[in-house]
Amino acid sequence: MKKQFFGVLLIAASLCVACDTDTDPEQDNNNAEQPATPEQPATAEVGSSQQYLRAATIFNNAFDESGAALRQVSLAAAAPARTASAEEPAAGPKVTWVCDNADNNFPVTVTVDYGTTNVAGLDGRLHRGKMIVKATGPYAAEGTKIDVDFDGWFVDNIKVEADMTVENNGRDSLGHCQFEVNISKGQLTANDTTVFAYSEASLRTWTVGEDEPDLTKHTYSIVGIQEGVTSDNFSYNIECDADPMVVNVGTPFPLSGTLNVKIPTSALEKLFPDYADVLKVLYPEKFEFQLVFVGDNKAKTVFTLLNPTTGETQTIESEPYDLTAVFN
């Protein structure tokens, strides 16, 4: 039994190490400068050990972009164009928000159009394609319903598809707007072949920024459930409740919070075949771990493992790793 426990410790260590992957910044920059064409597939690599986190942050970005567009329509007489960020070439494409209603009365349809060449968005991620946002009322108004559709929408060279709905549920006891978010039929595609399925049911509380014109300073607290199937064809479940995920529109990754991840033992058996026998005995159905966001675009992976000899548990955690290095 001691050998089994040490085997699981090795698996945990391997998973922690898997969170650090080598990237090629030069290759990524080259991809960013090229328009999307049938001859140029997306080049982002999506490892199964990080897909759930990538999916969660990409769809979080979709909420931010759609909400920002509606916020502009709600506050301004016309939705202004937003130019490429300072990191992009001066001659780069503009992001345009096009309202199909001349006087901006609701209901309204807003098109967030990044064009066919990658442009840095609100959080610095690279975007291309269109997002179509339909809203029944102002963003901050209770009862407003929002539908989001994606038309050739790419984030960091990953194609994003989903049915996404948002409803303003009114205000909590502290006066903060709350939004119910539901995502179904979510799909991320990298390299034209790597496919990841995703769904979400969450509640987002707008804690900071309602009176702040700078959209990048807006902050939300998120609780809920995320589910999906990785490109390796195994399912996962993520819950975020006791320690809500706190996100800022102007940053690509959460500021804080804990994601409780559950994956079937068969998934680890595929990823770590040398430890299959250990996993089957100690974790016959599922294996759980946590992703903890610690700020500065960093996170750590935490495992709580059972020692079958003593009945006690032991917590193992990775050193904080740079999410921008892992996912860019």
Side-chain angles (χ1 to χ4, degrees), residues 110-128:
V110 180
T111 300
V112 182
D113 186 359
Y114 275 89
T116 59
T117 302
N118 281 337
V119 179
L122 289 167
D123 62 2
R125 290 179 180 271
L126 298 176
H127 296 69
R128 64 179 184 265

PDB file of all heavy atoms in Angstrom, residues 110-128:
ATOM      1  N   VAL A 110     -25.615  44.275 -31.612  1.00  0.00           N
ATOM      2  CA  VAL A 110     -24.298  44.900 -31.693  1.00  0.00           C
ATOM      3  C   VAL A 110     -23.324  43.892 -32.281  1.00  0.00           C
ATOM      4  O   VAL A 110     -23.295  42.732 -31.869  1.00  0.00           O
ATOM      5  CB  VAL A 110     -23.804  45.358 -30.305  1.00  0.00           C
ATOM      6  CG1 VAL A 110     -22.430  46.004 -30.409  1.00  0.00           C
ATOM      7  CG2 VAL A 110     -24.794  46.326 -29.673  1.00  0.00           C
ATOM      8  N   THR A 111     -22.535  44.316 -33.258  1.00  0.00           N
ATOM      9  CA  THR A 111     -21.527  43.456 -33.863  1.00  0.00           C
ATOM     10  C   THR A 111     -20.138  43.887 -33.403  1.00  0.00           C
ATOM     11  O   THR A 111     -19.739  45.030 -33.602  1.00  0.00           O
ATOM     12  CB  THR A 111     -21.593  43.525 -35.403  1.00  0.00           C
ATOM     13  OG1 THR A 111     -22.886  43.108 -35.833  1.00  0.00           O
ATOM     14  CG2 THR A 111     -20.544  42.607 -36.028  1.00  0.00           C
ATOM     15  N   VAL A 112     -19.441  42.977 -32.771  1.00  0.00           N
ATOM     16  CA  VAL A 112     -18.053  43.209 -32.375  1.00  0.00           C
ATOM     17  C   VAL A 112     -17.191  42.565 -33.456  1.00  0.00           C
ATOM     18  O   VAL A 112     -17.117  41.345 -33.559  1.00  0.00           O
ATOM     19  CB  VAL A 112     -17.749  42.585 -30.999  1.00  0.00           C
ATOM     20  CG1 VAL A 112     -16.310  42.868 -30.584  1.00  0.00           C
ATOM     21  CG2 VAL A 112     -18.726  43.093 -29.949  1.00  0.00           C
ATOM     22  N   ASP A 113     -16.560  43.381 -34.274  1.00  0.00           N
ATOM     23  CA  ASP A 113     -15.866  42.887 -35.467  1.00  0.00           C
ATOM     24  C   ASP A 113     -14.372  43.193 -35.374  1.00  0.00           C
ATOM     25  O   ASP A 113     -13.953  44.334 -35.459  1.00  0.00           O
ATOM     26  CB  ASP A 113     -16.471  43.543 -36.712  1.00  0.00           C
ATOM     27  CG  ASP A 113     -15.903  42.984 -38.006  1.00  0.00           C
ATOM     28  OD1 ASP A 113     -15.023  42.089 -37.939  1.00  0.00           O
ATOM     29  OD2 ASP A 113     -16.330  43.431 -39.079  1.00  0.00           O
ATOM     30  N   TYR A 114     -13.582  42.139 -35.231  1.00  0.00           N
ATOM     31  CA  TYR A 114     -12.140  42.294 -35.170  1.00  0.00           C
ATOM     32  C   TYR A 114     -11.477  42.131 -36.539  1.00  0.00           C
ATOM     33  O   TYR A 114     -10.263  42.217 -36.644  1.00  0.00           O
ATOM     34  CB  TYR A 114     -11.543  41.262 -34.208  1.00  0.00           C
ATOM     35  CG  TYR A 114     -11.555  41.679 -32.751  1.00  0.00           C
ATOM     36  CD1 TYR A 114     -12.640  41.397 -31.935  1.00  0.00           C
ATOM     37  CD2 TYR A 114     -10.478  42.349 -32.196  1.00  0.00           C
ATOM     38  CE1 TYR A 114     -12.644  41.767 -30.592  1.00  0.00           C
ATOM     39  CE2 TYR A 114     -10.472  42.723 -30.868  1.00  0.00           C
ATOM     40  CZ  TYR A 114     -11.557  42.433 -30.073  1.00  0.00           C
ATOM     41  OH  TYR A 114     -11.556  42.797 -28.758  1.00  0.00           O
ATOM     42  N   GLY A 115     -12.260  41.843 -37.565  1.00  0.00           N
ATOM     43  CA  GLY A 115     -11.669  41.646 -38.881  1.00  0.00           C
ATOM     44  C   GLY A 115     -11.015  40.282 -39.008  1.00  0.00           C
ATOM     45  O   GLY A 115     -11.277  39.362 -38.234  1.00  0.00           O
ATOM     46  N   THR A 116     -10.153  40.124 -40.000  1.00  0.00           N
ATOM     47  CA  THR A 116      -9.547  38.821 -40.306  1.00  0.00           C
ATOM     48  C   THR A 116      -8.099  38.697 -39.845  1.00  0.00           C
ATOM     49  O   THR A 116      -7.460  37.677 -40.075  1.00  0.00           O
ATOM     50  CB  THR A 116      -9.605  38.561 -41.821  1.00  0.00           C
ATOM     51  OG1 THR A 116      -8.905  39.609 -42.499  1.00  0.00           O
ATOM     52  CG2 THR A 116     -11.041  38.487 -42.305  1.00  0.00           C
ATOM     53  N   THR A 117      -7.586  39.746 -39.209  1.00  0.00           N
ATOM     54  CA  THR A 117      -6.210  39.715 -38.689  1.00  0.00           C
ATOM     55  C   THR A 117      -6.249  39.877 -37.177  1.00  0.00           C
ATOM     56  O   THR A 117      -7.030  40.659 -36.653  1.00  0.00           O
ATOM     57  CB  THR A 117      -5.375  40.849 -39.311  1.00  0.00           C
ATOM     58  OG1 THR A 117      -5.377  40.731 -40.727  1.00  0.00           O
ATOM     59  CG2 THR A 117      -3.934  40.772 -38.808  1.00  0.00           C
ATOM     60  N   ASN A 118      -5.426  39.139 -36.463  1.00  0.00           N
ATOM     61  CA  ASN A 118      -5.440  39.173 -35.002  1.00  0.00           C
ATOM     62  C   ASN A 118      -5.231  40.576 -34.446  1.00  0.00           C
ATOM     63  O   ASN A 118      -4.345  41.310 -34.897  1.00  0.00           O
ATOM     64  CB  ASN A 118      -4.362  38.247 -34.444  1.00  0.00           C
ATOM     65  CG  ASN A 118      -4.777  36.800 -34.466  1.00  0.00           C
ATOM     66  OD1 ASN A 118      -5.969  36.487 -34.483  1.00  0.00           O
ATOM     67  ND2 ASN A 118      -3.810  35.895 -34.459  1.00  0.00           N
ATOM     68  N   VAL A 119      -6.058  40.929 -33.464  1.00  0.00           N
ATOM     69  CA  VAL A 119      -5.982  42.219 -32.777  1.00  0.00           C
ATOM     70  C   VAL A 119      -6.102  41.953 -31.282  1.00  0.00           C
ATOM     71  O   VAL A 119      -6.897  41.107 -30.857  1.00  0.00           O
ATOM     72  CB  VAL A 119      -7.119  43.163 -33.224  1.00  0.00           C
ATOM     73  CG1 VAL A 119      -7.037  44.487 -32.469  1.00  0.00           C
ATOM     74  CG2 VAL A 119      -7.063  43.415 -34.721  1.00  0.00           C
ATOM     75  N   ALA A 120      -5.332  42.659 -30.470  1.00  0.00           N
ATOM     76  CA  ALA A 120      -5.431  42.498 -29.024  1.00  0.00           C
ATOM     77  C   ALA A 120      -6.755  43.056 -28.525  1.00  0.00           C
ATOM     78  O   ALA A 120      -7.157  44.162 -28.882  1.00  0.00           O
ATOM     79  CB  ALA A 120      -4.268  43.217 -28.340  1.00  0.00           C
ATOM     80  N   GLY A 121      -7.449  42.271 -27.708  1.00  0.00           N
ATOM     81  CA  GLY A 121      -8.718  42.693 -27.151  1.00  0.00           C
ATOM     82  C   GLY A 121      -8.553  43.390 -25.815  1.00  0.00           C
ATOM     83  O   GLY A 121      -7.460  43.821 -25.435  1.00  0.00           O
ATOM     84  N   LEU A 122      -9.659  43.487 -25.077  1.00  0.00           N
ATOM     85  CA  LEU A 122      -9.648  44.199 -23.806  1.00  0.00           C
ATOM     86  C   LEU A 122      -8.637  43.615 -22.818  1.00  0.00           C
ATOM     87  O   LEU A 122      -8.019  44.340 -22.041  1.00  0.00           O
ATOM     88  CB  LEU A 122     -11.047  44.152 -23.182  1.00  0.00           C
ATOM     89  CG  LEU A 122     -12.126  45.004 -23.866  1.00  0.00           C
ATOM     90  CD1 LEU A 122     -13.492  44.600 -23.348  1.00  0.00           C
ATOM     91  CD2 LEU A 122     -11.874  46.477 -23.609  1.00  0.00           C
ATOM     92  N   ASP A 123      -8.475  42.291 -22.843  1.00  0.00           N
ATOM     93  CA  ASP A 123      -7.580  41.653 -21.877  1.00  0.00           C
ATOM     94  C   ASP A 123      -6.223  41.301 -22.471  1.00  0.00           C
ATOM     95  O   ASP A 123      -5.421  40.599 -21.841  1.00  0.00           O
ATOM     96  CB  ASP A 123      -8.228  40.391 -21.299  1.00  0.00           C
ATOM     97  CG  ASP A 123      -8.510  39.342 -22.362  1.00  0.00           C
ATOM     98  OD1 ASP A 123      -8.167  39.572 -23.543  1.00  0.00           O
ATOM     99  OD2 ASP A 123      -9.068  38.290 -22.013  1.00  0.00           O
ATOM    100  N   GLY A 124      -5.948  41.769 -23.682  1.00  0.00           N
ATOM    101  CA  GLY A 124      -4.666  41.502 -24.311  1.00  0.00           C
ATOM    102  C   GLY A 124      -4.637  40.258 -25.166  1.00  0.00           C
ATOM    103  O   GLY A 124      -3.677  40.042 -25.914  1.00  0.00           O
ATOM    104  N   ARG A 125      -5.671  39.421 -25.096  1.00  0.00           N
ATOM    105  CA  ARG A 125      -5.711  38.233 -25.947  1.00  0.00           C
ATOM    106  C   ARG A 125      -5.896  38.642 -27.408  1.00  0.00           C
ATOM    107  O   ARG A 125      -6.505  39.674 -27.717  1.00  0.00           O
ATOM    108  CB  ARG A 125      -6.862  37.319 -25.539  1.00  0.00           C
ATOM    109  CG  ARG A 125      -6.677  36.626 -24.198  1.00  0.00           C
ATOM    110  CD  ARG A 125      -7.906  35.781 -23.902  1.00  0.00           C
ATOM    111  NE  ARG A 125      -7.800  35.097 -22.637  1.00  0.00           N
ATOM    112  CZ  ARG A 125      -7.261  33.894 -22.477  1.00  0.00           C
ATOM    113  NH1 ARG A 125      -6.791  33.244 -23.527  1.00  0.00           N
ATOM    114  NH2 ARG A 125      -7.210  33.339 -21.287  1.00  0.00           N
ATOM    115  N   LEU A 126      -5.417  37.800 -28.305  1.00  0.00           N
ATOM    116  CA  LEU A 126      -5.531  38.081 -29.727  1.00  0.00           C
ATOM    117  C   LEU A 126      -6.873  37.574 -30.256  1.00  0.00           C
ATOM    118  O   LEU A 126      -7.254  36.429 -30.011  1.00  0.00           O
ATOM    119  CB  LEU A 126      -4.382  37.427 -30.491  1.00  0.00           C
ATOM    120  CG  LEU A 126      -2.979  37.912 -30.109  1.00  0.00           C
ATOM    121  CD1 LEU A 126      -1.919  37.125 -30.859  1.00  0.00           C
ATOM    122  CD2 LEU A 126      -2.840  39.407 -30.368  1.00  0.00           C
ATOM    123  N   HIS A 127      -7.571  38.452 -30.990  1.00  0.00           N
ATOM    124  CA  HIS A 127      -8.893  38.131 -31.515  1.00  0.00           C
ATOM    125  C   HIS A 127      -8.957  38.349 -33.018  1.00  0.00           C
ATOM    126  O   HIS A 127      -8.266  39.214 -33.557  1.00  0.00           O
ATOM    127  CB  HIS A 127      -9.962  39.025 -30.883  1.00  0.00           C
ATOM    128  CG  HIS A 127     -10.146  38.846 -29.416  1.00  0.00           C
ATOM    129  ND1 HIS A 127      -9.200  39.221 -28.498  1.00  0.00           N
ATOM    130  CD2 HIS A 127     -11.189  38.339 -28.706  1.00  0.00           C
ATOM    131  CE1 HIS A 127      -9.649  38.952 -27.284  1.00  0.00           C
ATOM    132  NE2 HIS A 127     -10.843  38.411 -27.381  1.00  0.00           N
ATOM    133  N   ARG A 128      -9.816  37.593 -33.663  1.00  0.00           N
ATOM    134  CA  ARG A 128     -10.260  37.892 -35.023  1.00  0.00           C
ATOM    135  C   ARG A 128     -11.654  37.291 -35.196  1.00  0.00           C
ATOM    136  O   ARG A 128     -12.069  36.417 -34.456  1.00  0.00           O
ATOM    137  CB  ARG A 128      -9.282  37.359 -36.080  1.00  0.00           C
ATOM    138  CG  ARG A 128      -9.119  35.850 -36.142  1.00  0.00           C
ATOM    139  CD  ARG A 128      -8.135  35.491 -37.270  1.00  0.00           C
ATOM    140  NE  ARG A 128      -7.998  34.057 -37.467  1.00  0.00           N
ATOM    141  CZ  ARG A 128      -7.061  33.293 -36.927  1.00  0.00           C
ATOM    142  NH1 ARG A 128      -6.164  33.860 -36.118  1.00  0.00           N
ATOM    143  NH2 ARG A 128      -7.015  31.999 -37.163  1.00  0.00           N
TER     144      ARG A 128
END
